[in-house]
Amino acid sequence: MSDRPQRPDPHEMMARLEAMQRQAEETLRQYEGMQEQINAADIEVFSEDGLISVKLDGNGRIDKIKIDEYAMRRRQSIAPTIIALVDQARVAHAEKAAEIARQFLGNTGFGDLLDRIAPERPR
C-alpha cells in the first residue's frame, strides 16, 4: 500500500473549471439583468394634497420636482414638504431595488443576507 495521495484527474479538474466558469458567467448575466431593472425603476412620490411631486431616476437621483401653482402661494411650507418627499422617494427607491434583487437572488446566501440588512416591509 502506498501513502502517496492520488493525483487528480486533469480531465475532471478541467470539467470542474469549465462548470465554475459557466456558473460565474450565469451569475454575471443575472447581475446585469438585475442592474438593468433597477436602473429602469423610476420612483415618483406625491404630497398628501397632490400639489408637489418628486421623481427619482433609476439611479436614485432626483429627476424632477413638480410644484403646482397653488402650492407656490404657500411658500413657507414648500421646503419641508420637498425634503420629506425626497426622503420618501429615496426609501421607496431602496425598497424597489431590494425587491428586484430578491427576485434575482432568490434562495441564495445573498438573498438571505439581503433579508437581514433590508427586511421586506409589510405593505
Side-chain angles (χ1 to χ4, degrees), residues 35-42 57-59:
Q35 195 62 46
E36 285 176 20
Q37 281 193 17
I38 290 171
N39 290 343
D42 294 347
D57 65 15
N59 293 314

Side-chain angles (χ1 to χ4, degrees), residues 28-100:
L28 183 58
R29 273 193 296 279
Q30 286 181 345
Y31 172 78
E32 289 169 348
M34 177 181 68
Q35 195 62 46
E36 285 176 20
Q37 281 193 17
I38 290 171
N39 290 343
D42 294 347
I43 297 292
E44 188 168 14
V45 296
F46 298 87
S47 61
E48 288 183 19
D49 58 12
L51 299 176
I52 301 173
S53 69
V54 171
K55 182 179 180 184
L56 301 184
D57 65 15
N59 293 314
R61 293 185 298 251
I62 297 172
D63 184 38
K64 289 182 186 175
I65 296 176
K66 293 181 186 177
I67 304 171
D68 184 89
E69 185 178 318
Y70 179 73
M72 292 295 288
R73 296 183 194 143
R74 300 182 302 162
R75 291 184 187 164
Q76 296 169 338
S77 64
I78 290 177
T81 301
I82 292 172
I83 292 168
L85 287 174
V86 168
D87 289 343
Q88 181 183 348
R90 287 189 172 143
V91 167
H93 181 269
E95 290 174 346
K96 183 67 173 176
E99 177 184 321
I100 291 168

